[in-house]
Amino acid sequence: MTPDWIPNIHPLIVHFPVALLVTAVIFDLVRVWLKQYSWLHHAVLLMYVSGTAGLVAAFISGKQAVETVAVTGTAVPVVTSHEDWALYTLIFFGIYTSVRLYSWWKDLEKGWTRTAFILPALIGVGLLWYTGEQGSRLVYQHGVAVSEADRLEGQIEELERQIAEFRSEAGPVTEDDGSWSWRIGAGADQVLVDAFTIDGAESIEASTGREGGRSHLELTAPEQMAYLIAGGDLNSVDGRAEINLGDFSGVFELVHHYRGPDNYQYIRISGSELQQGQIIDGSDNVLGSGQIDTGGWSTFRVTASGQHFYAYQNGNTVVHTHDDEMGTGKSGLALRGSGTVRIRLIEFSLP
């Protein structure tokens, strides 16, 4: 078991393969001049094999680590880049170490070939460095998996909520880059039609209520799919919504990269299942799914950066999927069914 202050085992594993492989390259350089020491050659091979095996463990633990932390905002493209470069590095050293083992088995490392192996090893060190640099940015620049940073983020969100309540903002606030946010205040139901583009259903019934000292919007679900779209075109997205589906039966979606009802990405909530996927030319491609709890208020978050898509409930990863990146589009929500959906907050921004 790991200590409480370590959310996953990735930080405990990742340093060992890096140290082994960098040391292997250094010893490889030394071996060029100290050819007479055969044990040095065997030691180098052992370090390459051990380091590459360690990279496999680090990559797997890193994939698991993403599921234990909430990656938000500008950290999203960094974590996807870190994962991509970790895979490239693993593939490189997997091939390189296999070639080294084969050349040792066939006794091919003689003369100039011994020196020739150094150059690709140095390229591998460069890959290690860049991958590690991306991981360091996650921790030291973005505070991913750092308890104090998580606490401060929660305080900031609470202050933003209080400011919104104080200002009683009725409609969503849209930024120049296409980002938008809507913290529900008094009169939100009156501006719904003006603030959103509504596709599908002809109209949406809405009202406002108050619970626990906070305002919320109540949307009555129509029988056919209704899309409520706001903001401008976004490429990568970080979206979230604080909703209560306790009195709702049907399908609720957070949609992004929306270019119409036949082309968009989504996280879809139906009963206790959350699905993540894409509608492309009217064809529904479900990329992954997971089980959720829809009792009471929950914060659902969706992020999309490049070919990496994440879905969270209350900060916990539900789904992490991959597919081709869709073109830029707008964002919003969609619903169909019976009952009411309560919303306290919905926002989409660039990571």
Side-chain angles (χ1 to χ4, degrees), residues 140-153:
Y140 297 107
Q141 181 178 351
H142 299 283
V144 173
V146 178
S147 300
E148 182 65 12
D150 293 341
R151 184 183 66 81
L152 291 174
E153 181 181 359

Side-chain angles (χ1 to χ4, degrees), residues 23-281:
T23 304
V25 174
I26 294 173
F27 274 44
D28 230 356
L29 286 167
V30 173
R31 190 175 63 91
V32 172
W33 287 277
L34 301 178
K35 304 179 182 66
Q36 67 274 25
Y37 297 109
S38 60
W39 66 265
L40 194 57
H41 178 51
H42 295 148
V44 167
L45 282 176
L46 180 61
M47 282 187 283
Y48 276 127
V49 171
S50 300
T52 302
L55 282 183
V56 174
F59 183 77
I60 293 173
S61 66
K63 295 276 288 185
Q64 294 172 340
V66 175
E67 314 299 325
T68 67
V69 296
V71 182
T72 61
T74 55
V76 173
V78 180
V79 76
T80 57
S81 175
H82 181 54
E83 182 178 336
D84 288 341
W85 281 99
L87 179 60
Y88 304 151
T89 304
L90 175 58
I91 292 172
F92 176 88
F93 274 105
I95 295 173
Y96 179 78
T97 300
S98 298
V99 171
R100 291 299 297 266
L101 284 172
Y102 179 80
S103 65
W104 166 75
W105 181 46
K106 294 293 186 178
D107 196 23
L108 300 178
E109 291 195 31
K110 298 177 181 178
W112 66 270
T113 58
R114 184 174 298 175
T115 305
F117 276 123
I118 299 300
L119 179 59
L122 293 175
I123 294 174
V125 170
L127 290 172
L128 283 171
W129 172 83
Y130 188 75
T131 303
E133 193 266 344
Q134 297 295 300
S136 297
R137 286 181 60 195
L138 286 174
V139 175
Y140 297 107
Q141 181 178 351
H142 299 283
V144 173
V146 178
S147 300
E148 182 65 12
D150 293 341
R151 184 183 66 81
L152 291 174
E153 181 181 359
Q155 289 182 348
I156 291 172
E157 290 186 359
E158 176 62 18
L159 288 172
E160 289 176 346
R161 183 193 66 78
Q162 292 176 2
I163 291 172
E165 286 288 327
F166 177 75
R167 292 170 60 187
S168 295
E169 293 175 338
V173 177
T174 303
E175 306 296 338
D176 292 338
D177 62 4
S179 303
W180 63 280
S181 62
W182 196 15
R183 294 178 178 273
I184 305 303
D189 55 323
Q190 302 298 319
V191 300
L192 183 67
V193 175
D194 295 331
F196 286 84
T197 298
I198 302 177
D199 290 339
E202 294 182 359
S203 62
I204 294 291
E205 294 184 23
S207 61
T208 55
R210 197 166 181 85
E211 181 182 342
R214 296 182 60 182
S215 298
H216 62 260
L217 181 71
E218 295 185 2
L219 298 178
T220 300
E223 294 182 358
Q224 65 184 100
M225 201 70 162
Y227 299 87
L228 284 69
I229 307 301
D233 288 337
L234 297 172
N235 187 6
S236 298
V237 299
D238 183 0
R240 64 173 176 151
E242 189 175 351
I243 60 177
N244 187 326
L245 302 175
D247 296 324
F248 171 73
S249 177
V251 174
F252 177 86
E253 295 179 344
L254 287 181
V255 304
H256 54 96
H257 293 81
Y258 180 89
R259 298 196 297 273
D262 291 336
N263 288 280
Y264 65 91
Q265 285 185 257
Y266 63 78
I267 61 170
R268 175 185 297 151
I269 301 166
S270 179
S272 60
E273 183 180 33
L274 183 149
Q275 295 178 331
Q276 188 168 45
Q278 302 168 324
I279 303 289
I280 301 177
D281 295 329

